[in-house]
Amino acid sequence: MPYAWYCPIRPWHFVAWLALWGSLVGADSSYAGDEDLRRTAIVRAYQEAKDSIVNLHGRKTVRADQPGTAGENFKQVNGMGTGIVIDPRGYILTNYHVVEGVANIQATFADKRNATARLISHDPHTDLAVIKVDTASSLPVIKLGTSSDLLTGEPVIAVGNAYGYEHTVTRGIISALHRPVQVSDNQQYTDLIQTDASINPGNSGGPLMNILGEVIGINVAVRVGAQGIGFAIPIDEALDIAARLVSADRLGHPAHGLAGKCEYESQSDGSLIPKYAVSAVRKDTLAEKAGVKAGDYITHIGGRAVARPLDVELAFLGRKTGDNVAVEVLRDGKNQQLAMAIEATSKTSSKQNLQDRSWDALGIRVEPISRDEFSALNSHYRGGLRVTSVRKDGPAHDQGIRQGDVLVGMHVWQTVSLDNFSYILDRDDLDTMQPLLFYILREGDTLFGHIRLAKKDGG
């Protein structure tokens, strides 16, 4: 963990007491060997989850400022962390700071198999990333729970690559919910789970599980100088971010046009069952042409069970033009079979129309940058859009954006291409996200701020 205030938590030592009265009175010795007494809920939870938990390690370059010297110095350090498998094809969710700057990400599984992973998508603001290992066989996917019904005091389990000790298991309770935490000058969380389960450097990106073995959080930080104070990102929030990280719009795959959310249906035993509810369908998209409507519950896409926005994005990930994807929906209590034909999507607006919308909403016009030109900027972003003009009375001007700046991101999306930019401006829920966080490159520095779009006439 790179942040200066991260530090190890003293391990919590556990002693399991078992009163064997029979041993005192000469009872049958086979009782002491009863495996059921040893296979506790914690043991069962770990054994079910361990093959879906990945230890991550590699060398990274970090700043090493030396007192009394000018400029910056750099050094190589060993990075380590943890990830969870979210898709059988090898997609893994972890913290971004675990893999940031690591050129050769090494993943080790519970059975000691090693694989090289590559970074697929990341978001520095939320400190989450999706990486992928290439695998000849399907990987087991970790069981996902919900953070919507957590109880202060309920038992939890943390698993991770603590100090390089692979697949370390610790246990504790949920100490508090909805904690705001400032982890660095540039990193702040507003809603973390606090736990006293031992979390150490190397646990970052690993699962915090409930006693059923369901992931309810992603371990992210510990409090410096404290014992038994660790923090995790609630899994509902982490999965929504993961969905955006692998979305078709972000990764350049055919856009489906669906907007939806996860709803939970309460069962008689008190458990919650996740369901994917369609909240909107964008016009002239694959979903609209297939007949999907707002209010539908999508249960399967291409034979894959769907319960969350992440399931939708993973179901479309890797689809190609010409594929015909079966979509099963629940509408008015009845199952319906639909088909979504993946086709080359036509532009909903011309380049000039996009520039007009950007000029009206943000007060800027932008243009793409070639890959070679962007590489010269030495940025960890994948690409950006150069600002060619700024309207003096516009929102961008008020936030200090200048001609020549390179827009590399808005909210949780990178602006690599004009299509990315158009997708952001076209979102029906954009008003609910304001003010939008934006990132720009200027003379080698990454700057950020918040911007509100200009109101439409009559709005």
Side-chain angles (χ1 to χ4, degrees):
M1 297 183 181
Y3 305 128
W5 74 294
Y6 282 23
C7 74
I9 296 295
R10 183 176 300 168
W12 185 0
H13 302 284
F14 304 103
V15 179
W17 295 92
L18 182 63
L20 299 177
W21 175 254
S23 65
L24 299 179
V25 296
D28 187 346
S29 61
S30 64
Y31 181 80
D34 191 344
E35 288 294 322
D36 290 338
L37 294 177
R38 301 171 56 201
R39 204 169 295 277
T40 64
I42 291 176
V43 172
R44 292 194 299 270
Y46 169 70
Q47 289 185 340
E48 184 175 352
K50 64 183 177 66
D51 292 333
S52 305
I53 301 171
V54 186
N55 297 304
L56 304 173
H57 49 95
R59 300 279 290 174
K60 64 167 64 180
T61 301
V62 299
R63 289 184 178 90
D65 294 331
Q66 300 295 325
T69 62
E72 292 180 334
N73 295 287
F74 297 89
K75 64 178 180 179
Q76 287 281 315
V77 300
N78 290 317
M80 56 190 173
T82 311
I84 58 173
V85 178
I86 58 173
D87 184 87
R89 292 169 290 182
Y91 290 93
I92 296 166
L93 179 65
T94 186
N95 284 140
Y96 175 54
H97 74 256
V98 170
V99 295
E100 180 183 11
V102 180
N104 189 16
I105 306 169
Q106 293 299 305
T108 303
F109 294 86
D111 61 3
K112 304 302 181 183
R113 285 183 300 125
N114 291 304
T116 299
R118 64 183 186 277
L119 182 62
I120 297 296
S121 185
H122 67 280
D123 177 28
H125 178 63
T126 60
D127 194 23
L128 289 172
V130 173
I131 62 176
K132 186 180 186 301
V133 298
D134 294 325
T135 175
S137 57
S138 296
L139 297 179
V141 176
I142 203 158
K143 186 193 298 184
L144 299 172
T146 177
S147 49
S148 64
D149 63 346
L150 299 180
L151 303 172
T152 300
E154 75 168 286
V156 289
I157 310 156
V159 183
N161 189 19
Y163 277 112
Y165 294 104
E166 299 172 351
H167 278 78
T168 294
V169 182
T170 57
R171 72 170 184 176
I173 62 170
I174 291 178
S175 304
L177 298 168
H178 312 300
R179 289 294 199 204
V181 176
Q182 182 88 33
V183 299
S184 72
D185 291 340
N186 300 318
Q187 191 78 44
Q188 181 176 13
Y189 297 95
T190 59
D191 182 20
L192 293 184
I193 303 166
Q194 181 183 331
T195 179
D196 66 351
S198 293
I199 297 174
N200 296 282
N203 276 98
S204 283
L208 185 70
M209 301 186 295
N210 61 21
I211 205 68
L212 302 177
E214 300 168 333
V215 180
I216 51 94
I218 301 296
N219 299 319
V220 68
V222 294
R223 184 66 172 92
V224 66
Q227 297 182 16
I229 300 181
F231 300 98
I233 302 171
I235 193 62
D236 291 350
E237 178 185 348
L239 293 179
D240 284 344
I241 295 167
R244 294 194 288 265
L245 289 177
V246 298
S247 67
D249 301 287
R250 188 179 184 114
L251 298 184
H253 297 283
H256 47 70
L258 291 167
K261 60 182 180 180
C262 180
E263 296 181 354
Y264 288 93
E265 182 179 308
S266 181
Q267 304 299 295
S268 58
D269 61 358
S271 62
L272 299 177
I273 302 298
K275 299 167 60 178
Y276 178 80
V278 179
S279 56
V281 178
R282 298 204 301 274
K283 293 182 179 180
D284 299 321
T285 59
L286 304 179
E288 184 188 51
K289 294 175 182 179
V292 182
K293 299 180 179 180
D296 287 346
Y297 289 93
I298 297 181
T299 59
H300 292 81
I301 296 178
R304 181 190 184 113
V306 168
R308 301 175 174 84
L310 178 60
D311 298 325
V312 173
E313 301 302 340
L314 290 173
F316 283 102
L317 191 60
R319 299 286 181 180
K320 299 177 181 178
T321 300
D323 289 351
N324 200 47
V325 183
V327 179
E328 298 180 30
V329 303
L330 184 64
R331 180 181 300 167
D332 298 327
K334 297 180 180 179
N335 290 313
Q336 295 200 19
Q337 305 290 328
L338 306 176
M340 191 177 296
I342 306 297
E343 57 187 23
T345 54
S346 60
K347 302 291 183 181
T348 58
S349 61
S350 65
K351 177 180 177 180
Q352 183 58 45
N353 190 20
L354 170 60
Q355 298 291 5
D356 291 342
R357 285 181 291 138
S358 174
W359 190 251
D360 292 339
L362 296 170
I364 58 173
R365 290 192 174 94
V366 296
E367 66 179 11
I369 300 178
S370 69
R371 181 174 299 180
D372 291 342
E373 186 179 3
F374 189 82
S375 296
L377 299 177
N378 295 319
S379 168
H380 65 270
Y381 289 92
R382 294 190 299 123
L385 301 171
R386 187 180 304 282
V387 177
T388 58
S389 56
V390 180
R391 195 178 76 224
K392 289 185 178 180
D393 60 345
H397 179 270
D398 293 342
Q399 294 303 313
I401 296 178
R402 307 173 186 172
Q403 181 177 344
D405 288 344
V406 178
L407 180 68
V408 292
M410 295 187 70
H411 194 48
V412 298
W413 300 287
Q414 291 191 41
T415 51
V416 177
S417 66
L418 291 175
D419 285 342
N420 299 149
F421 193 43
S422 179
Y423 165 74
I424 297 170
L425 294 181
D426 285 343
R427 286 190 65 92
D428 296 328
D429 56 353
L430 201 60
D431 287 341
T432 65
M433 303 175 188
Q434 296 195 57
L436 293 172
L437 181 66
F438 67 86
Y439 299 89
I440 60 171
L441 300 181
R442 180 187 297 165
E443 298 177 354
D445 294 324
T446 300
L447 309 177
F448 67 92
H450 292 82
I451 190 170
R452 285 190 176 275
L453 276 66
K455 292 183 177 181
K456 300 178 182 178
D457 293 339

